[in-house]
Amino acid sequence: GEESSTKDEL
Amino acid sequence: MNIFRLAGDMTHLASVLVLLLKIHTIKSCAGVSLKTQELYAIVFATRYLDILTSFVSIYNTLMKLIFLGSSFSIVWYMKYHKTVRRTYDRDQDTFRHWFLMLPCLLLALLIHEKFTFFEVLWTFSLYLEAVAILPQLVLLQRTRNIDNLTGQYIFLLGGYRGFYILNWIYRYFTEPHYVHWITWIAGLVQTLLYADFFYYYFLSWKNNKKLQLPA
Protein backbone atom coordinates (compact mmCIF):
# COMPACT_ATOMS: atom_id res chain seq x y z
CA GLY A 1 0.00 0.00 0.00
CA GLU A 2 1.04 3.60 -0.14
CA GLU A 3 3.59 4.62 2.45
CA SER A 4 2.14 5.81 5.74
CA SER A 5 1.77 9.54 6.09
CA THR A 6 1.61 12.04 8.91
CA LYS A 7 -1.03 13.96 6.96
CA ASP A 8 -3.65 12.20 9.06
CA GLU A 9 -2.22 14.09 12.01
CA LEU A 10 -3.20 17.61 12.95
CA MET B 1 -5.57 7.17 16.19
CA ASN B 2 -3.85 6.29 19.45
CA ILE B 3 -4.29 7.56 22.98
CA PHE B 4 -1.14 9.70 22.78
CA ARG B 5 -2.32 11.52 19.68
CA LEU B 6 -5.82 11.98 21.11
CA ALA B 7 -4.33 13.33 24.36
CA GLY B 8 -2.09 15.60 22.30
CA ASP B 9 -4.97 16.96 20.22
CA MET B 10 -7.14 17.50 23.32
CA THR B 11 -4.26 19.29 25.10
CA HIS B 12 -3.70 21.42 22.02
CA LEU B 13 -7.42 22.19 21.83
CA ALA B 14 -7.41 23.10 25.52
CA SER B 15 -4.48 25.48 25.05
CA VAL B 16 -6.20 27.54 22.34
CA LEU B 17 -9.55 27.47 24.16
CA VAL B 18 -7.93 28.57 27.45
CA LEU B 19 -6.37 31.52 25.63
CA LEU B 20 -9.51 32.43 23.69
CA LEU B 21 -11.60 32.16 26.87
CA LYS B 22 -9.16 34.36 28.80
CA ILE B 23 -9.20 37.05 26.14
CA HIS B 24 -12.98 36.85 25.64
CA THR B 25 -13.82 36.81 29.36
CA ILE B 26 -11.53 39.39 30.88
CA LYS B 27 -11.31 41.37 27.62
CA SER B 28 -7.57 41.56 28.05
CA CYS B 29 -4.59 40.07 26.26
CA ALA B 30 -1.92 41.39 28.61
CA GLY B 31 1.12 39.15 28.53
CA VAL B 32 0.09 37.46 25.29
CA SER B 33 2.33 37.85 22.26
CA LEU B 34 0.40 38.84 19.12
CA LYS B 35 3.42 37.81 17.07
CA THR B 36 3.15 34.22 18.32
CA GLN B 37 -0.59 34.19 17.64
CA GLU B 38 -0.03 35.49 14.10
CA LEU B 39 2.58 32.79 13.54
CA TYR B 40 0.14 30.12 14.75
CA ALA B 41 -2.55 31.41 12.42
CA ILE B 42 -0.06 31.10 9.55
CA VAL B 43 0.96 27.63 10.78
CA PHE B 44 -2.63 26.41 10.65
CA ALA B 45 -3.37 28.18 7.35
CA THR B 46 -0.39 26.54 5.64
CA ARG B 47 -0.84 23.21 7.44
CA TYR B 48 -4.52 22.78 6.57
CA LEU B 49 -4.52 23.91 2.94
CA ASP B 50 -5.72 20.42 2.04
CA ILE B 51 -8.81 20.74 4.24
CA LEU B 52 -11.00 21.04 1.14
CA THR B 53 -9.21 18.50 -1.02
CA SER B 54 -8.33 15.58 1.23
CA PHE B 55 -10.82 14.17 3.75
CA VAL B 56 -9.34 12.04 6.53
CA SER B 57 -12.20 11.89 9.03
CA ILE B 58 -14.92 14.01 10.58
CA TYR B 59 -12.73 14.40 13.65
CA ASN B 60 -9.77 15.58 11.55
CA THR B 61 -11.77 18.12 9.58
CA LEU B 62 -13.63 19.36 12.66
CA MET B 63 -10.40 19.87 14.61
CA LYS B 64 -8.81 21.69 11.66
CA LEU B 65 -11.76 24.08 11.52
CA ILE B 66 -11.58 24.66 15.27
CA PHE B 67 -7.84 25.38 15.19
CA LEU B 68 -8.18 27.69 12.19
CA GLY B 69 -11.17 29.47 13.72
CA SER B 70 -9.67 29.89 17.19
CA SER B 71 -6.24 31.06 16.03
CA PHE B 72 -7.69 33.66 13.66
CA SER B 73 -10.21 34.75 16.31
CA ILE B 74 -7.40 35.33 18.81
CA VAL B 75 -5.50 37.42 16.26
CA TRP B 76 -8.69 39.34 15.43
CA TYR B 77 -9.38 40.04 19.12
CA MET B 78 -5.83 41.28 19.72
CA LYS B 79 -5.69 43.46 16.63
CA TYR B 80 -9.19 44.82 16.13
CA HIS B 81 -11.37 44.38 19.24
CA LYS B 82 -11.78 47.90 20.64
CA THR B 83 -11.21 46.90 24.27
CA VAL B 84 -8.77 44.03 23.95
CA ARG B 85 -6.41 45.76 21.54
CA ARG B 86 -5.70 48.47 24.13
CA THR B 87 -4.34 45.85 26.54
CA TYR B 88 -1.79 44.57 24.04
CA ASP B 89 1.67 45.79 25.05
CA ARG B 90 3.01 46.31 21.55
CA ASP B 91 6.23 47.99 22.66
CA GLN B 92 7.25 44.84 24.56
CA ASP B 93 6.19 42.37 21.88
CA THR B 94 8.86 43.35 19.41
CA PHE B 95 10.20 40.00 18.22
CA ARG B 96 10.77 40.30 14.46
CA HIS B 97 8.72 37.22 13.69
CA TRP B 98 8.90 37.75 9.93
CA PHE B 99 12.59 36.90 10.34
CA LEU B 100 11.49 33.52 11.67
CA MET B 101 9.33 32.84 8.64
CA LEU B 102 11.99 33.36 6.00
CA PRO B 103 14.45 30.73 7.32
CA CYS B 104 11.55 28.30 7.76
CA LEU B 105 10.47 28.88 4.17
CA LEU B 106 14.02 28.48 2.86
CA LEU B 107 14.49 25.33 4.93
CA ALA B 108 11.18 23.95 3.62
CA LEU B 109 12.35 24.61 0.06
CA LEU B 110 15.54 22.69 0.83
CA ILE B 111 14.36 19.87 3.07
CA HIS B 112 10.96 18.29 2.39
CA GLU B 113 9.52 14.90 1.56
CA LYS B 114 8.12 15.86 -1.84
CA PHE B 115 8.74 19.02 -3.85
CA THR B 116 5.12 20.02 -4.43
CA PHE B 117 3.36 23.26 -3.52
CA PHE B 118 1.27 21.64 -0.75
CA GLU B 119 4.14 19.56 0.64
CA VAL B 120 6.56 22.50 0.81
CA LEU B 121 3.96 24.69 2.56
CA TRP B 122 3.06 21.83 4.87
CA THR B 123 6.75 21.39 5.75
CA PHE B 124 7.06 25.16 6.20
CA SER B 125 4.19 25.00 8.70
CA LEU B 126 6.03 22.29 10.64
CA TYR B 127 9.22 24.32 10.90
CA LEU B 128 7.30 27.48 11.72
CA GLU B 129 5.30 25.76 14.45
CA ALA B 130 8.55 24.65 16.07
CA VAL B 131 9.68 28.26 16.56
CA ALA B 132 6.31 30.06 16.76
CA ILE B 133 6.44 30.19 20.58
CA LEU B 134 9.67 32.22 20.62
CA PRO B 135 8.06 35.70 20.57
CA GLN B 136 5.85 34.61 23.48
CA LEU B 137 8.80 33.30 25.51
CA VAL B 138 10.78 36.48 24.79
CA LEU B 139 7.79 38.58 25.89
CA LEU B 140 7.60 36.61 29.13
CA GLN B 141 11.30 37.17 29.77
CA ARG B 142 10.76 40.89 29.25
CA THR B 143 7.66 41.23 31.39
CA ARG B 144 9.45 39.09 33.99
CA ASN B 145 6.23 37.63 35.26
CA ILE B 146 3.46 35.52 33.92
CA ASP B 147 -0.17 35.37 34.83
CA ASN B 148 -1.34 31.85 35.37
CA LEU B 149 -3.58 31.71 32.29
CA THR B 150 -0.71 32.53 29.93
CA GLY B 151 1.40 30.06 31.87
CA GLN B 152 -1.28 27.40 31.43
CA TYR B 153 -1.47 28.22 27.74
CA ILE B 154 2.25 27.60 27.24
CA PHE B 155 2.20 24.58 29.53
CA LEU B 156 -0.62 22.98 27.51
CA LEU B 157 1.06 23.84 24.20
CA GLY B 158 4.25 22.14 25.35
CA GLY B 159 2.26 19.18 26.65
CA TYR B 160 0.52 18.74 23.28
CA ARG B 161 3.86 18.44 21.48
CA GLY B 162 5.16 16.12 24.18
CA PHE B 163 2.17 13.79 23.67
CA TYR B 164 2.79 13.92 19.92
CA ILE B 165 6.33 12.68 20.42
CA LEU B 166 4.90 9.69 22.34
CA ASN B 167 2.44 9.24 19.44
CA TRP B 168 5.31 9.16 16.91
CA ILE B 169 7.21 6.63 19.00
CA TYR B 170 4.08 4.48 19.29
CA ARG B 171 3.40 4.68 15.53
CA TYR B 172 7.02 3.93 14.73
CA PHE B 173 6.77 0.64 16.63
CA THR B 174 3.29 -0.29 15.47
CA GLU B 175 3.18 0.81 11.83
CA PRO B 176 5.62 -0.43 9.18
CA HIS B 177 7.30 2.28 7.10
CA TYR B 178 6.19 4.97 9.55
CA VAL B 179 9.38 7.03 9.37
CA HIS B 180 9.08 10.82 9.11
CA TRP B 181 12.30 12.46 10.23
CA ILE B 182 11.19 15.98 9.31
CA THR B 183 8.09 15.78 11.49
CA TRP B 184 10.01 14.16 14.32
CA ILE B 185 12.93 16.57 14.39
CA ALA B 186 10.72 19.67 14.08
CA GLY B 187 8.50 18.34 16.87
CA LEU B 188 11.48 17.54 19.08
CA VAL B 189 13.02 21.00 18.60
CA GLN B 190 9.68 22.55 19.47
CA THR B 191 9.33 20.49 22.64
CA LEU B 192 12.90 21.29 23.71
CA LEU B 193 12.14 24.99 23.37
CA TYR B 194 9.45 24.51 26.01
CA ALA B 195 11.70 22.42 28.24
CA ASP B 196 13.29 25.35 30.09
CA PHE B 197 9.89 26.97 30.48
CA PHE B 198 8.55 23.75 31.96
CA TYR B 199 11.48 23.69 34.38
CA TYR B 200 10.68 27.16 35.74
CA TYR B 201 6.94 26.43 35.68
CA PHE B 202 7.51 23.30 37.76
CA LEU B 203 9.81 25.13 40.18
CA SER B 204 7.21 27.85 40.74
CA TRP B 205 4.52 25.23 41.21
CA LYS B 206 6.70 23.22 43.64
CA ASN B 207 7.68 26.27 45.68
CA ASN B 208 4.13 27.53 45.28
CA LYS B 209 5.28 31.00 44.31
CA LYS B 210 4.69 33.28 41.35
CA LEU B 211 6.52 32.10 38.25
CA GLN B 212 9.60 34.28 37.76
CA LEU B 213 11.64 33.56 34.66
CA PRO B 214 15.34 34.44 34.93
CA ALA B 215 16.33 37.59 33.04
Short mmCIF file of all heavy atoms in Angstrom, two decimals, chain A residues 1 3-10, chain B residues 5 60 119 122 167-168 171 178 180:
data_model
loop_
_atom_site.label_atom_id
_atom_site.label_comp_id
_atom_site.label_asym_id
_atom_site.label_seq_id
_atom_site.Cartn_x
_atom_site.Cartn_y
_atom_site.Cartn_z
N GLY A 1 0.85 -1.20 0.00
CA GLY A 1 0.00 0.00 0.00
C GLY A 1 0.87 1.24 0.00
O GLY A 1 2.08 1.20 0.10
N GLU A 3 2.84 4.48 1.18
CA GLU A 3 3.59 4.62 2.45
C GLU A 3 2.72 5.42 3.43
O GLU A 3 1.87 6.20 3.04
CB GLU A 3 4.94 5.29 2.18
CG GLU A 3 4.98 6.80 2.37
CD GLU A 3 4.35 7.54 1.20
OE1 GLU A 3 3.98 6.88 0.20
OE2 GLU A 3 4.19 8.75 1.30
N SER A 4 2.97 5.13 4.72
CA SER A 4 2.14 5.81 5.74
C SER A 4 2.44 7.31 5.67
O SER A 4 3.50 7.73 5.21
CB SER A 4 2.53 5.30 7.12
OG SER A 4 3.67 6.02 7.54
N SER A 5 1.53 8.10 6.17
CA SER A 5 1.77 9.54 6.09
C SER A 5 1.46 10.17 7.44
O SER A 5 0.73 9.60 8.23
CB SER A 5 0.83 10.13 5.02
OG SER A 5 0.52 11.45 5.39
N THR A 6 2.00 11.34 7.68
CA THR A 6 1.61 12.04 8.91
C THR A 6 0.50 13.04 8.58
O THR A 6 0.12 13.84 9.39
CB THR A 6 2.80 12.84 9.48
OG1 THR A 6 3.35 13.60 8.42
CG2 THR A 6 3.85 11.93 10.07
N LYS A 7 0.01 12.98 7.32
CA LYS A 7 -1.03 13.96 6.96
C LYS A 7 -2.33 13.67 7.69
O LYS A 7 -3.24 14.49 7.70
CB LYS A 7 -1.28 13.95 5.44
CG LYS A 7 -0.11 14.41 4.58
CD LYS A 7 0.30 15.85 4.85
CE LYS A 7 1.40 16.27 3.91
NZ LYS A 7 2.59 15.41 4.10
N ASP A 8 -2.40 12.47 8.31
CA ASP A 8 -3.65 12.20 9.06
C ASP A 8 -3.55 12.83 10.44
O ASP A 8 -4.45 12.75 11.24
CB ASP A 8 -3.89 10.69 9.16
CG ASP A 8 -2.73 10.02 9.89
OD1 ASP A 8 -1.68 10.67 10.02
OD2 ASP A 8 -2.88 8.88 10.34
N GLU A 9 -2.38 13.43 10.70
CA GLU A 9 -2.22 14.09 12.01
C GLU A 9 -2.50 15.59 11.87
O GLU A 9 -2.38 16.15 10.79
CB GLU A 9 -0.79 13.86 12.53
CG GLU A 9 -0.53 12.40 12.84
CD GLU A 9 0.90 12.15 13.29
OE1 GLU A 9 1.73 13.07 13.17
OE2 GLU A 9 1.18 11.04 13.76
N LEU A 10 -2.84 16.18 13.00
CA LEU A 10 -3.20 17.61 12.95
C LEU A 10 -1.93 18.45 13.00
O LEU A 10 -0.94 18.00 13.54
CB LEU A 10 -4.12 17.94 14.12
CG LEU A 10 -5.51 17.32 13.96
CD1 LEU A 10 -6.26 17.42 15.27
CD2 LEU A 10 -6.26 18.03 12.87
N ARG B 5 -1.95 10.46 20.65
CA ARG B 5 -2.32 11.52 19.68
C ARG B 5 -3.61 12.19 20.14
O ARG B 5 -3.74 13.42 20.06
CB ARG B 5 -2.49 10.90 18.28
CG ARG B 5 -2.76 11.92 17.21
CD ARG B 5 -2.07 11.53 15.93
NE ARG B 5 -2.68 10.37 15.30
CZ ARG B 5 -3.62 10.46 14.35
NH1 ARG B 5 -4.06 11.65 13.99
NH2 ARG B 5 -4.11 9.38 13.79
N ASN B 60 -10.92 14.84 12.09
CA ASN B 60 -9.77 15.58 11.55
C ASN B 60 -10.22 16.92 10.99
O ASN B 60 -9.64 17.97 11.30
CB ASN B 60 -9.13 14.70 10.46
CG ASN B 60 -7.82 15.26 9.96
OD1 ASN B 60 -7.83 16.07 9.03
ND2 ASN B 60 -6.73 14.91 10.61
N GLU B 119 3.18 20.21 -0.27
CA GLU B 119 4.14 19.56 0.64
C GLU B 119 5.13 20.58 1.19
O GLU B 119 5.46 20.57 2.37
CB GLU B 119 4.88 18.45 -0.12
CG GLU B 119 5.76 17.58 0.77
CD GLU B 119 4.97 16.70 1.73
OE1 GLU B 119 3.79 16.42 1.44
OE2 GLU B 119 5.54 16.35 2.78
N TRP B 122 3.33 22.64 3.69
CA TRP B 122 3.06 21.83 4.87
C TRP B 122 4.33 21.70 5.72
O TRP B 122 4.32 21.88 6.93
CB TRP B 122 2.57 20.44 4.43
CG TRP B 122 2.20 19.54 5.56
CD1 TRP B 122 1.03 19.53 6.26
CD2 TRP B 122 3.03 18.53 6.15
NE1 TRP B 122 1.07 18.58 7.23
CE2 TRP B 122 2.29 17.94 7.20
CE3 TRP B 122 4.32 18.06 5.89
CZ2 TRP B 122 2.80 16.90 7.98
CZ3 TRP B 122 4.83 17.03 6.67
CH2 TRP B 122 4.07 16.47 7.70
N ASN B 167 3.23 9.78 20.57
CA ASN B 167 2.44 9.24 19.44
C ASN B 167 3.36 8.76 18.33
O ASN B 167 3.18 7.68 17.76
CB ASN B 167 1.50 10.35 18.96
CG ASN B 167 1.12 10.19 17.49
OD1 ASN B 167 0.48 9.22 17.12
ND2 ASN B 167 1.57 11.14 16.66
N TRP B 168 4.40 9.55 17.99
CA TRP B 168 5.31 9.16 16.91
C TRP B 168 6.10 7.90 17.29
O TRP B 168 6.29 7.00 16.47
CB TRP B 168 6.28 10.30 16.58
CG TRP B 168 5.58 11.47 15.97
CD1 TRP B 168 4.51 11.44 15.13
CD2 TRP B 168 5.88 12.86 16.19
NE1 TRP B 168 4.13 12.72 14.81
CE2 TRP B 168 4.94 13.60 15.43
CE3 TRP B 168 6.83 13.54 16.94
CZ2 TRP B 168 4.96 14.99 15.40
CZ3 TRP B 168 6.86 14.92 16.91
CH2 TRP B 168 5.92 15.64 16.14
N ARG B 171 3.69 5.02 16.94
CA ARG B 171 3.40 4.68 15.53
C ARG B 171 4.62 4.06 14.88
O ARG B 171 4.50 3.16 14.05
CB ARG B 171 2.96 5.93 14.77
CG ARG B 171 1.60 6.43 15.19
CD ARG B 171 1.09 7.55 14.31
NE ARG B 171 0.63 7.03 13.00
CZ ARG B 171 0.04 7.81 12.09
NH1 ARG B 171 -0.13 9.11 12.32
NH2 ARG B 171 -0.34 7.30 10.95
N TYR B 178 6.54 3.65 9.01
CA TYR B 178 6.19 4.97 9.55
C TYR B 178 7.47 5.66 10.01
O TYR B 178 7.88 5.56 11.16
CB TYR B 178 5.20 4.83 10.72
CG TYR B 178 4.74 6.18 11.22
CD1 TYR B 178 3.74 6.87 10.56
CD2 TYR B 178 5.34 6.76 12.33
CE1 TYR B 178 3.34 8.13 11.01
CE2 TYR B 178 4.95 8.02 12.78
CZ TYR B 178 3.95 8.69 12.12
OH TYR B 178 3.57 9.94 12.55
N HIS B 180 9.20 9.44 9.62
CA HIS B 180 9.08 10.82 9.11
C HIS B 180 10.01 11.72 9.90
O HIS B 180 9.60 12.40 10.85
CB HIS B 180 7.62 11.30 9.23
CG HIS B 180 6.68 10.50 8.36
ND1 HIS B 180 6.55 10.74 7.01
CD2 HIS B 180 5.89 9.44 8.64
CE1 HIS B 180 5.69 9.88 6.49
NE2 HIS B 180 5.29 9.07 7.45
#
